[in-house]
């Protein structure tokens, strides 16, 4: 089964039941990353061999249309916050959660373009699937 990117909602709140939409987003990042490859090659091996190490998790960058109030709201998140990324109405197609800090900056633009901003979320916990049941 495939799902659409409509609707996808970025929320904040201490728990899912009370979480509220932070801003409207236009794109979201990968929600995880490949693990580091830890080499375990010995002098008896004819090729390098590896085991999976710690998962690499980079900053999460979301794109949104610039709105002064949204920009201010994101940059007011000065403490660690719980984030929720909801797929489908009410999370019917999945929900992911993590804790972290966030800030926003305005992207450069050219003639006849929509002014956008990037929301940078630095995760302090892994991004994990959440079940509301």
């Amino acid at each position: 089964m495939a799902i659409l990117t409509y609707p996808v909602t970025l929320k904040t709140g201490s728990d899912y039941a009370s979480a509220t939409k932070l801003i409207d987003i236009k794109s979201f990042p990968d929600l995880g990353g490949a693990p580091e490859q830890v080499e375990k090659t010995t002098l008896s091996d004819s090729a390098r061999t590896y085991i999976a190490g710690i998962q690499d998790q980079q900053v999460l960058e979301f794109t949104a249309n610039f709105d002064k109030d949204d920009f201010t709201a994101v940059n007011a998140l000065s403490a660690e916050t719980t984030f929720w990324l909801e797929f489908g109405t009410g999370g019917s197609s999945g929900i992911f959660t993590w804790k972290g800090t966030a800030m926003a900056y305005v992207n450069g633009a050219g003639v006849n373009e929509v002014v956008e901003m990037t929301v940078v979320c630095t995760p302090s916990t892994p991004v994990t699937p959440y079940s509301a049941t």
Side-chain angles (χ1 to χ4, degrees):
M1 177 178 112
I3 65 170
L4 292 172
T5 55
Y6 171 79
V8 175
T9 308
L10 179 62
K11 295 182 170 187
T12 58
S14 58
D15 59 72
Y16 180 67
S18 64
T20 57
K21 181 169 70 172
L22 177 60
I23 60 171
D24 285 316
I25 58 173
K26 295 176 75 169
S27 69
F28 59 89
D30 294 344
L31 300 177
E36 291 183 14
Q37 300 298 299
V38 179
E39 186 178 354
K40 66 175 190 74
T41 308
T42 69
L43 294 175
S44 301
D45 294 324
S46 62
R48 293 184 186 271
T49 58
Y50 302 87
I51 59 173
I54 296 172
Q55 181 184 14
D56 189 13
Q57 183 170 277
Q58 301 295 320
V59 295
L60 304 171
E61 293 187 358
F62 299 84
T63 304
N65 291 328
F66 173 74
D67 176 87
K68 185 175 85 169
D69 293 336
D70 290 348
F71 181 82
T72 301
V74 170
N75 285 316
L77 298 173
S78 57
E80 182 179 75
T81 302
T82 303
F83 294 90
W84 307 87
L85 191 61
E86 178 183 84
F87 293 84
T89 304
S92 61
S93 296
I95 303 164
F96 289 83
T97 187
W98 67 94
K99 290 184 180 180
T101 57
M103 57 83 62
Y105 65 86
V106 178
N107 301 349
V111 174
N112 201 33
E113 293 181 342
V114 171
V115 177
E116 295 179 330
M117 64 183 185
T118 297
V119 174
V120 179
C121 182
T122 303
S124 57
T125 64
V127 176
T128 57
Y130 173 78
S131 175
T133 57

